[in-house]
Amino acid sequence: MVKFKPRFFMLPFATTSHHIDQITDGIAGQGYVIVPGFLPDTFIQALRNEALTLQEAGKLQRATIGKAENNQLDNKVRGDLIHWLDHADASPVQQEFSAIMETLRESLNRHLFLGLFELENHFAIYPPGAIYNKHLDQFRGNEERQVSCILYLNEDWKEEYGGQLRLYLDGKEPEPYIDTVPLGGTLVAFLSGKFWHEVLPASQPRISLTGWFRKRGSSLS
Ligand code: OGA
Ligand code: MN
């Protein structure tokens, strides 16, 4: 029997499609884009509750660094806890999020010819003090990750809590950079192979839903 999962949020088409255009234009133009209020508070709240429920159930794991074959844990490099989303077992709000991101994927492919074929994403919770050192989202020798998308799920975040995403605009150079405060509902997207970035420490737990649009790898294995 087909399991019917209702969609709860049904965003107004015009709002979402405006944001999709804004993101596509930003990526095509400067390679990155910051969109405050990408999704309404009710939607963000539902996603945040899922992240927190998973955490309470012990379903978040320490994130590792590097490729699967030599995974490492190192708090000085990366201190967040993550939970990969399972598309086959997605909640209604996750399904609706996937539908929105699918529209974005098609728009990016249509305008930028990136050949994106899927989105992989995980919830991430940074405990107070945790960081993610300056890095690129493409691992060496693997260019599958093309566009990084980070959606912040924090409630009532204040600038003094810290936890900014620092996006470097000139390769590995320390300047110039842009800081984004992880306010709930803000989405940051950028070309994964181009922008070095880091997560600054925060005084409060910092929650996000982070994903990467991937193109197919060059090997057929
Ligand atoms: C990542 C990352 C940034 C953020 O997970 O690769 O860079 O602001 N996250 O959470
Ligand atoms: Mn990253």
Side-chain angles (χ1 to χ4, degrees):
M1 196 173 76
V2 177
K3 215 155 92 188
F4 176 71
K5 293 185 177 164
R7 290 174 55 182
F8 289 152
F9 293 93
M10 288 296 190
L11 300 177
F13 175 72
T15 319
T16 325
S17 84
H18 164 76
H19 282 142
I20 303 280
D21 291 348
Q22 188 184 348
I23 297 165
T24 306
D25 289 350
I27 298 287
Q30 55 192 6
Y32 70 91
V33 66
I34 300 158
V35 185
F38 176 59
L39 293 171
D41 285 349
T42 47
F43 201 117
I44 295 299
Q45 199 178 354
L47 288 170
R48 174 173 62 246
N49 287 342
E50 292 197 353
L52 292 172
T53 303
L54 287 162
Q55 184 183 37
E56 273 161 32
K59 291 185 178 162
L60 263 60
Q61 281 114 39
R62 279 292 313 279
T64 53
I65 332 153
K67 290 195 202 170
E69 60 264 34
N70 55 357
N71 275 343
Q72 293 172 39
L73 284 171
D74 186 345
N75 261 336
K76 292 196 287 297
V77 177
R78 177 173 188 184
D80 57 333
L81 299 151
I82 61 170
H83 178 92
W84 289 99
L85 265 57
D86 177 0
H87 295 294
D89 186 28
S91 68
V93 63
Q94 287 174 22
Q95 286 183 47
E96 188 153 355
F97 178 74
S98 293
I100 294 164
M101 297 308 270
E102 183 60 14
T103 318
L104 175 58
R105 186 184 70 81
E106 286 164 2
S107 172
L108 290 169
N109 278 346
R110 215 165 32 244
H111 294 91
L112 284 95
F113 311 105
L114 290 175
L116 309 173
F117 83 104
E118 76 166 13
L119 177 71
E120 51 177 8
N121 44 24
H122 64 52
F123 287 116
I125 300 186
Y126 287 71
I131 56 159
Y132 194 159
N133 256 351
K134 191 169 176 179
H135 66 282
L136 208 56
D137 284 346
Q138 280 183 358
F139 305 125
R140 208 165 298 155
N142 183 332
E143 297 182 352
E144 285 177 31
R145 287 180 172 180
Q146 290 288 304
V147 180
S148 307
C149 300
I150 305 141
L151 175 66
Y152 297 107
L153 305 179
N154 299 302
E155 186 174 26
D156 297 331
W157 193 265
K158 300 200 171 33
E159 196 161 347
E160 63 259 30
Y161 294 168
Q164 293 89 343
L165 167 67
R166 181 161 292 177
L167 193 69
Y168 294 93
L169 301 181
D170 183 15
K172 276 183 100 166
E173 294 300 316
E175 286 180 353
Y177 60 75
I178 301 186
D179 281 351
T180 301
V181 177
L183 294 178
T186 296
L187 178 103
V188 180
F190 53 89
L191 292 171
S192 308
K194 182 160 180 201
F195 292 93
W196 289 79
H197 56 282
E198 70 176 293
V199 177
L200 304 182
S203 61
Q204 309 289 320
R206 177 192 189 274
I207 316 175
S208 59
L209 177 52
T210 300
W212 296 271
F213 286 112
R214 301 194 316 150
K215 68 174 185 183
R216 274 177 220 283
S218 43
S219 82
L220 292 172
S221 60

